[in-house]
Amino acid sequence: MNRNILFWSITSALAGFLFGFDTVVISGAEQTIQSLWGLSPFVHGIAMAAALYGTVLGSLLGGWPTDRFGRKATLLFIGIFYVVGAVWSALATDVYVFIIARAIGGLGIGISTVAAPLYISEIAPPKYRGRLAGMFQFNIVFGILVAFLSNSLLAGIGPNAWRWMMGVAAIPSVIYTLSCFFIPESPRWLLGVKRDREAGLKVLKLIQPEAAQAETEAVADEIMAASSERATTAHFWVARLRIPIMLAILIAFFNQMSGINAILYFAPRIFELTGLGAKAALLQSVGIGITNLIFTFVGLWLIDRLGRRTLLYIGSFGYILSLGLVAWAFFTQHYSIVPVCIFAFIAAHAVGQGAVIWVFIAEIFPNRHRAEGQALGCFTHWIFAALLTTFFPKMVSAFPPGYVFSFFAFMMVLQLIWVKTMVPETKGVPLEKIQEQFGIEAA
């Protein structure tokens, strides 16, 4: 594989590390924050979901700077949001300041879920696109693991441990921001949006230095043809884009209806419901991070071999079995199997939805509408993540946990039906060919 592509992909995917770290680091601080400021369950839910509401806004708006200013500039700007959000959260003096600071970091997360997978998909060869774009998900998972480990290490340093948990994210945020200066702009943005053929050809040559000039010119012609003037001026919400629009909405919807974000955010609390002490529950949360990392490797190894659809099948069956067993354990008070079943749920997610979602959304839209499509999928993902995180504390206090996990299992049965009846395979197909499969004409 071209070293340039690998370096650019890793750099862009570092946004995913910050995404994972920032999203989950609050799990170690959430109970302290609730008691420190005397928060009601509702206000506590708002504080916990503040970053997610910022993420919703970032994902909704993220397509605009990604198209208007380019993929590189947007990735660079994301780092600033991360730095500000981390430092200000650590210094927050009340819950309202904390909510604002977390929302700022969430803006960075939301925009990163649009720009980073999109950028990687546009520079990656079809043969390696799944693995390279999947590096964003790997870095999310790695960030989650580091956040759990960081929380565990910092938990015993005193009453202000939660501030260190929140603030330490500023260090990788600065590293990521500086790294973005060393990546080029996407050739598909240069050719298809900016219409700068000379600059686009230069980047294409960096991507495939061994290719003959005629071959590089042909690739540029194909990209520009797929992003023709007629396609450029077309609206997004039109019948010809109905298939990718529905696929993006539904994959994001089902991702959150598994309960993944609720489990990641409230892992220590869920484990405490089984009778584990606070410290043991926090250590069990580290186990979630390790499981997630290991099976994300498995998912990335399989995604360009078995394909996206097959992994969604595997994940769906794993979800249904693991969530069903968790529900049964809470109903029958067999609490000892809950941690194992939660780990199995995380493994199913990592191999299935976790490995596929960002890759799939970045593949299914035509070049000119890719940023808008990515924004739609991300917005759907994050609005349901925010709602779920806001109401989960109320759900587990109003209903026995067994009913909550039964609901998640039922939603995954619906996902399995959707995969069977609607999801196409995009493995190894050039981006410009995928839109032809959906009957989307370039001009």
Side-chain angles (χ1 to χ4, degrees):
M1 186 186 300
N2 186 315
R3 292 181 181 180
N4 286 334
I5 298 174
L6 184 60
F7 172 74
W8 303 337
S9 298
I10 291 172
T11 299
S12 178
L14 284 176
F17 174 87
L18 299 173
F19 162 5
F21 190 98
D22 188 82
T23 299
V24 174
V25 72
I26 192 151
S27 68
E30 59 103 357
Q31 295 188 61
T32 301
I33 289 169
Q34 184 175 24
S35 61
L36 176 66
W37 290 320
L39 306 181
S40 67
F42 179 74
V43 176
H44 180 52
I46 294 293
M48 284 293 291
L52 288 174
Y53 286 111
T55 301
V56 169
L57 182 60
S59 62
L60 181 63
L61 302 177
W64 178 76
T66 304
D67 263 348
R68 176 67 179 82
F69 303 109
R71 289 38 165 160
K72 177 179 178 178
T74 304
L75 289 170
L76 181 62
F77 196 58
I78 287 166
I80 298 173
F81 281 116
Y82 280 131
V83 174
V84 172
V87 173
W88 204 5
S89 295
L91 299 176
T93 54
D94 58 51
V95 68
Y96 304 106
V97 172
F98 183 79
I99 288 172
I100 293 170
R102 289 288 292 165
I104 290 173
L107 280 172
I109 294 173
I111 299 171
S112 77
T113 57
V114 176
L118 185 153
Y119 175 82
I120 298 172
S121 73
E122 291 188 338
I123 64 170
K127 181 179 179 181
Y128 300 109
R129 191 174 61 237
R131 274 168 280 182
L132 289 173
M135 287 172 61
F136 182 73
Q137 175 65 19
F138 167 78
N139 274 278
I140 293 172
V141 171
F142 186 45
I144 289 171
L145 174 59
V146 173
F148 279 136
L149 288 171
S150 175
N151 286 350
S152 181
L153 292 171
L154 293 171
I157 67 173
N160 288 322
W162 72 271
R163 296 188 183 275
W164 288 100
M165 291 178 184
M166 306 305 300
V168 73
I171 297 173
S173 299
V174 171
I175 294 172
Y176 161 77
T177 305
L178 295 176
S179 299
C180 284
F181 284 102
F182 300 98
I183 64 174
E185 183 52 82
S186 160
R188 284 181 166 85
W189 183 80
L190 291 169
L191 292 164
V193 179
K194 196 176 180 182
R195 315 301 286 183
D196 188 340
R197 186 179 180 87
E198 181 180 354
L201 284 170
K202 287 181 180 178
V203 180
L204 286 175
K205 196 63 178 175
L206 291 173
I207 292 174
Q208 290 186 303
E210 73 286 350
Q213 183 64 27
E215 185 180 349
T216 304
E217 294 275 358
V219 172
D221 290 339
E222 184 178 8
I223 293 172
M224 296 189 79
S227 306
S228 65
E229 187 61 29
R230 177 175 169 183
T232 299
T233 57
H235 295 292
F236 180 74
W237 295 100
V238 294
R240 72 188 189 95
L241 294 179
R242 66 188 182 280
I243 295 176
I245 285 173
M246 287 303 300
L247 289 172
I249 290 173
L250 289 173
I251 194 172
F253 169 77
F254 283 122
N255 183 282
Q256 284 305 305
M257 287 301 101
S258 69
I260 182 63
N261 264 47
I263 290 172
L264 290 176
Y265 269 56
F266 296 97
R269 184 171 296 222
I270 291 170
F271 286 134
E272 284 185 45
L273 289 173
T274 70
L276 290 171
K279 185 67 175 180
L282 198 59
L283 289 174
Q284 290 279 13
S285 301
V286 176
I288 285 181
I290 294 172
T291 303
N292 208 354
L293 184 69
I294 291 172
F295 282 92
T296 295
F297 271 121
V298 176
L300 295 184
W301 185 76
L302 293 174
I303 192 168
D304 283 324
R305 292 175 170 83
L306 298 183
R308 290 57 160 152
R309 192 167 187 257
T310 302
L311 293 192
L312 288 176
Y313 269 125
I314 294 171
S316 296
F317 285 116
Y319 278 144
I320 294 166
L321 180 62
S322 58
L323 289 168
L325 285 173
V326 171
W328 174 82
F330 276 111
F331 281 132
T332 61
Q333 299 183 351
H334 286 77
Y335 299 132
S336 61
I337 74 165
V338 170
V340 174
C341 293
I342 292 292
F343 292 160
F345 165 83
I346 294 296
H349 174 80
V351 171
Q353 274 270 13
V356 171
I357 180 170
W358 307 115
V359 176
F360 188 73
I361 296 174
E363 291 178 327
I364 58 178
F365 288 93
N367 291 335
R368 181 57 188 90
H369 294 291
R370 188 164 295 116
E372 294 168 286
Q374 190 79 12
L376 172 65
C378 294
F379 171 76
T380 305
H381 176 276
W382 290 117
I383 191 66
F384 282 104
L387 291 172
L388 185 64
T389 305
T390 299
F391 291 106
F392 186 76
K394 186 68 175 177
M395 290 167 64
V396 294
S397 62
F399 302 100
Y403 287 108
V404 176
F405 284 96
S406 294
F407 169 76
F408 292 147
F410 171 71
M411 294 306 297
M412 293 302 94
V413 173
L414 297 183
Q415 174 180 272
L416 179 62
I417 296 171
W418 169 70
V419 174
K420 172 67 175 176
T421 58
M422 291 185 64
V423 176
E425 183 55 72
T426 57
K427 179 189 71 165
V429 183
L431 294 178
E432 286 70 32
K433 299 296 184 184
I434 293 174
Q435 66 187 70
E436 295 178 13
Q437 290 184 354
F438 293 155
I440 303 171
E441 299 298 330

